[in-house]
Amino acid sequence: MVITIELNKRQERILQIVKDDGPITGEHIADRLNLTRATLRPDLAILTMSGYLDARPRVGYFYTGKTGAQLLTDKIKKLLVKDYKSIPVVVNESVSVYDAIVTMFLEDVGTLFVVDEKSLLVGVLSRKDLLRASIGKQELTSIPVNIIMTRMPNVTMCEQNDLILDVAGKLIDKQIDALPVIKETDKGFEVVGRITKTNITKAFVALAGEELL
Ligand code: ADP
């Protein structure tokens, strides 16, 4: 899909013609601009794909009435978790704080999801949780992570078909960096992915990149 936030001069002229006189055929638009239908084809394709114009067979092009901002909002509301999620990094609830710190470094993530022996979600560990546990004089190899994690039912989660926009709202609301992507089963929640601020930044960049298509 294409998002054309900035239209070129010819596209602006086509848009004006269709606004004023639509529905109008490609042939007639071409006549009005003294151009061939073939020359106009890429512009008409961009205007249609980006949602400014709609085309009906044997009727012609008509103006959808949507502004650039409305079209962008439409696109943002189509971004789904399943298309931008990353692989989750999980640890068992019985591993030590020391092992969790090592895992966080080796896997290069900022949030670990904690699971039980059935691989079901029981908690979340952030960098600060691990730092906090390291401040005391306790032996880090002997404290299990389930003592210090944020536990269920206080874990904020999302599902594959949720909107990226809703996830972003939850991250802001709860002041956290990541959500587990879960699949609900009769036994509990399976962790199938991870959505972080980085994934949302990638979605944002991808949205702008579409303009180059
Ligand atoms: P950091 O601690 O590195 O700043 P966060 O802001 O993500 O990272 O975490 C802040 C607190 O919120 C931590 O105590 C963490 O356990 C908790 N937390 C992180 N992610 C979630 C989540 N998805 N649901 C509930 N609590 C979370």
Side-chain angles (χ1 to χ4, degrees):
M1 246 182 262
V2 180
I3 292 176
T4 313
I5 293 157
E6 279 187 40
L7 300 178
N8 68 30
K9 279 234 166 59
R10 190 150 75 200
Q11 290 158 359
E12 293 282 7
R13 287 182 67 196
I14 295 170
L15 205 54
Q16 196 56 51
I17 291 171
V18 180
K19 258 190 214 175
D20 294 341
D21 299 322
I24 178 169
T25 62
E27 212 70 56
H28 284 127
I29 301 172
D31 286 348
R32 296 269 294 269
L33 294 171
N34 285 325
L35 295 166
T36 65
R37 177 82 180 79
T39 316
L40 278 196
R41 197 160 288 132
D43 291 320
L44 287 169
I46 286 169
L47 288 168
T48 327
M49 278 194 282
S50 57
Y52 284 103
L53 298 184
D54 226 333
R56 281 207 202 117
R58 286 181 300 279
V59 178
Y61 292 89
F62 58 93
Y63 182 56
T64 59
K66 291 194 174 173
T67 62
Q70 281 172 318
L71 293 168
L72 186 59
T73 307
D74 289 352
K75 306 280 183 199
I76 291 172
K77 288 186 175 158
K78 284 192 191 124
L79 300 176
L80 297 179
V81 163
K82 64 178 170 206
D83 298 321
Y84 291 95
K85 68 180 162 69
S86 302
I87 295 166
V89 179
V90 300
V91 292
N92 188 278
E93 61 181 332
S94 62
V95 305
S96 67
V97 169
Y98 181 89
D99 285 341
I101 293 172
V102 172
T103 304
M104 197 173 262
F105 273 97
L106 289 179
E107 301 284 348
D108 194 19
V109 291
T111 309
L112 298 173
F113 302 123
V114 186
V115 295
D116 63 14
E117 66 292 344
K118 288 183 237 124
S119 295
L120 299 172
L121 182 67
V122 291
V124 176
L125 282 172
S126 76
R127 284 176 280 222
K128 246 177 273 158
D129 294 331
L130 296 172
L131 277 176
R132 197 182 302 112
S134 312
I135 292 173
K137 293 218 166 60
Q138 305 101 316
E139 181 51 59
L140 296 184
T141 50
S142 58
I143 318 167
V145 288
N146 63 10
I147 307 277
I148 65 151
M149 69 187 184
T150 299
R151 65 190 62 252
M152 292 292 273
N154 298 324
V155 176
T156 308
M157 309 174 288
C158 66
E159 294 184 76
Q160 304 262 31
N161 288 320
D162 288 351
L163 294 180
I164 285 286
L165 187 62
D166 291 337
V167 170
K170 285 182 181 178
L171 294 181
I172 293 168
D173 238 31
K174 308 274 178 185
Q175 300 188 352
I176 50 180
D177 293 345
L179 296 189
V181 183
I182 55 92
K183 197 171 129 201
E184 192 169 2
T185 70
D186 347 327
K187 289 177 235 123
F189 300 111
E190 279 172 19
V191 185
V192 296
R194 169 171 65 99
I195 283 275
T196 67
K197 289 177 177 172
T198 307
N199 298 110
I200 292 173
T201 309
K202 280 184 183 156
F204 174 75
V205 170
L207 212 52
E210 288 181 12
E211 196 186 350
L212 305 173
L213 278 181

